[in-house]
Each structure stands twice: as C-alpha cells, then as structure tokens.
Amino acid sequence: MGKILGTGYVVAYVSKMHGGAQKVVYKIDCGNGFSCVLYVWDLTHNYFQEEIRNDTLDELSYGSHLFELNHTFLTKKGIRTPALYDLNKERNRYSFDYALVEYIDGQKAEAYFEHSDSQVRHQLFERLGEILTGMHAIERQAYGKLDRIGRNTDGCHLQQLNNAAVQLSYAAQHIDSIRANQGKLLDTLHELEARIEPRSRYGFIHGELGPDHVLVNERLEPYLIDIEGASFFDIEHEHSFLEFRFRDHYRYLKNDALDPNRMLFYRLHHHISLTSGGLKLLHRGFPDQQFAKGLAEYHSQRALSFVP
C-alpha cells in the first residue's frame, strides 16, 4: 500500500469479502480512512482449477491478463468498472498475481430488487440497461476474448454446444434425473443448435452478468465487476443469462432485436452449465454449501423442463 499509494496509507484492517469462486477478494482499510480492494489470482484457491489447467473453462476466463485487457477496454469505452490502482504480475515475492482496485462504497444490484422506492429502482436499472445497450453495441466481425479474436471460425454457439455436453456428463454422474434424461437433453441441444443461422457480427458481453456482478454507489451509478470473462460473442448468450438472473427487472435490460433461436439454445446451455457448476462447488468445498446445492437443484429442474 505504501509503495503504490504513499507512506500515509498504512493498513489498519483486512477483511475477506464474500464470494469469489475464481479469485480471492479482500477489503483493505487504512488508518487514514481510505479503503480499497485486493484481488488475488491464486489458482490453489480457485474452485475451477481443474478446468483451468485443462483449458476447458470457456477459453480460460480467468486471470490477471484478461482482467487487465478487459479493464483497459471497458474504461476506454466509458463503461464503469472499479478503477485499477496497481496490478502486480512479477511473481518475485508471491506465486500469484494481485491487484489493488477501487472500493465502491455501496451495494450489489440485487439489493435493489426489493427497494422501497420504485423511483430508485427505476433509475438504477434504467441506467444499467443503457450501459448494457452501449456495451453490446460495440461490435466486431469475429468473436472471442480480446487476445483471441478471430482464432475460431466456427459459430461461437458451437463452443457452447461442446461445453454443454461436457457439463451434462458431469451432472449425469451425480443427479439421477439428469442421468435418466441425458440422451434427451443432448438431442434437444442439437435440435436447438440446428435452428441457428450463421452470423458475422458479435457484441461485447460481460459473460456472467448477474446482479451480484454489478456494484452500485451512493449516486446510483452501476459498476461492472468480475470482468475476466468478457468477450465478443453472441449477445443472446448474455441476455438469456440476464433474463433469469434479473427476473422482473430484466424489462429494463431487454433487447427486442434478439434471435429467438439463439436465446432458446443459450437458455438450455446455461441451465446445464450452472447445474454442473453448482455440483462442482458443492463437491470442492465452497463455503456456502447451501447456495451450491440450491444452484444445482434449481438449474437441473430448469434444464429438465426442456425435455419433451
């Protein structure tokens, strides 16, 4: 802290912040009243380290490199994300990368779902809708992470088709109803994929934008966090996720120009992927076991609702 911010910034208290399936997050409070956040990308504390080592986690949506690229990109485009004070990738003292970032003194967007003032809710989610519309309108003729754009020439949805098959296989090992319907779910995935027409324009998406990945300051300004997975992709991938994560408030975020076939396909993909993801958190010792169990149960039921 002293090296980056100055000798007046002396650490008084450090507390681990809630969440963090892929990186460890701490709040740092200084004696002079200043606060910031420490991100630590330590693979040994990542609940998906097996997938990362095997390069099967959505083309490595993890690490300080992608964080840095996406932070620079979003900031230049005027899309709010907490300011980056310093990023250390030297690994000369520690075996991991870490960063000091701005502390947003506020709540996550999910805290506003039941806010007593409807005008406050309206203002916040309308602002978030404007941010997403602007971000998704940033387009390229190829898809991928910022350092991998254009490397793949097949439709981006085919990556998700392959991923869904892998995640479905994992879920089938642990949930009887999924195992009994594994073949039908695979058939449904392929049927939905077959309806998708080729496309040559892709928008910039966050990749996992739930209300827990939006911080809101006292001026009701939304900030996007956990940005490592951002990329150029089908924006339907984002919207099909926003739809069930923001529930009734999705009306502020919706886009009337979406491809319904892609929306259906990505909905089923998300449900299968989140079933598997919940199970992995459950099996790998994620602190909030009730959350992990509920995640797997809810999305397995939603996935099975697609079975004819």
Side-chain angles (χ1 to χ4, degrees):
M1 292 291 291
K3 180 181 177 182
I4 303 304
L5 299 173
T7 55
Y9 294 84
V10 178
V11 176
Y13 188 74
V14 177
S15 55
K16 188 174 181 181
M17 300 182 76
H18 177 71
Q22 293 215 57
K23 64 177 176 287
V24 189
V25 182
Y26 300 93
K27 182 188 176 192
I28 299 177
D29 295 309
C30 295
N32 62 0
F34 177 82
S35 296
C36 67
V37 175
L38 173 67
Y39 289 165
V40 176
W41 288 276
D42 184 348
L43 196 56
T44 64
H45 288 79
N46 188 302
Y47 291 95
F48 297 98
Q49 58 185 278
E50 179 181 330
E51 288 77 11
I52 291 168
R53 287 195 174 103
N54 295 332
D55 197 5
T56 58
L57 185 66
D58 189 21
E59 289 193 324
L60 291 181
S61 301
Y62 165 79
S64 64
H65 173 62
L66 286 173
F67 172 79
E68 185 177 30
L69 280 177
N70 292 331
H71 189 280
T72 300
F73 183 82
L74 290 171
T75 301
K76 285 182 177 178
K77 296 296 183 179
I79 298 166
R80 290 190 201 93
T81 188
L84 175 61
Y85 299 137
D86 183 64
L87 175 61
N88 190 301
K89 298 189 288 186
E90 296 173 357
R91 301 196 184 186
N92 55 0
R93 186 172 178 182
Y94 304 104
S95 61
F96 47 79
D97 299 342
Y98 57 92
L100 290 176
V101 302
E102 178 185 10
Y103 173 68
I104 304 300
D105 190 6
Q107 296 177 297
K108 294 178 179 178
E110 59 194 355
Y112 289 84
F113 281 178
E114 308 300 330
H115 198 281
S116 58
D117 190 334
S118 60
Q119 282 300 108
V120 169
R121 293 199 309 270
H122 175 78
Q123 187 175 357
L124 169 63
F125 291 108
E126 193 170 63
R127 285 178 175 179
L128 181 58
E130 291 170 356
I131 289 172
L132 293 181
T133 298
M135 184 171 73
H136 293 164
I138 303 168
E139 293 186 331
R140 296 289 186 275
Q141 292 182 329
Y143 67 89
K145 301 289 189 293
L146 289 175
D147 60 345
R148 298 188 178 194
I149 296 176
R151 289 192 183 184
N152 298 306
T153 54
D154 294 332
C156 60
H157 62 280
L158 294 177
Q159 291 183 356
Q160 305 304 305
L161 179 65
N162 295 333
N163 179 61
V166 172
Q167 305 312 322
L168 185 59
S169 177
Y170 185 90
Q173 297 174 44
H174 304 282
I175 300 177
D176 292 343
S177 56
I178 294 291
R179 181 166 57 252
N181 289 279
Q182 185 175 2
K184 291 180 180 178
L185 284 166
L186 275 174
D187 289 344
T188 302
L189 273 166
H190 282 278
E191 288 170 12
L192 295 176
E193 186 278 325
R195 302 177 193 173
I196 295 176
E197 298 291 334
R199 167 183 282 172
S200 59
R201 301 291 293 179
Y202 304 92
F204 197 71
I205 69 170
H206 177 281
E208 194 184 5
L209 193 56
D212 54 333
H213 289 160
V214 180
L215 295 178
V216 183
N217 69 11
E218 60 184 7
R219 296 183 296 277
L220 293 182
E221 295 170 333
Y223 288 72
L224 307 188
I225 61 170
D226 290 344
I227 57 175
E228 289 90 326
S231 67
F232 285 98
F233 212 79
D234 283 337
I235 65 171
E236 288 83 0
H237 183 279
E238 188 110 287
H239 277 277
S240 56
F241 190 78
L242 292 167
E243 197 174 38
F244 64 78
R245 290 303 313 278
F246 281 86
R247 300 176 295 185
D248 292 343
H249 297 85
Y250 175 67
R251 67 183 185 275
Y252 293 102
L253 316 178
K254 67 184 300 184
N255 181 326
D256 294 329
L258 300 172
D259 176 359
N261 291 326
R262 281 179 164 82
M263 285 292 286
L264 265 178
F265 171 79
Y266 285 125
R267 278 189 200 117
L268 179 52
H269 166 267
H270 287 315
H271 292 315
I272 291 172
S273 180
L274 288 166
T275 298
S276 174
L279 288 169
K280 289 173 183 178
L281 292 177
L282 192 63
H283 300 155
R284 296 171 184 179
F286 188 69
D288 193 342
Q289 288 282 283
Q290 194 60 40
F291 166 79
K293 184 173 184 289
L295 187 70
E297 289 177 350
Y298 173 79
H299 287 286
S300 65
Q301 293 167 8
R302 296 290 295 160
L304 289 168
S305 71
F306 279 74
V307 175

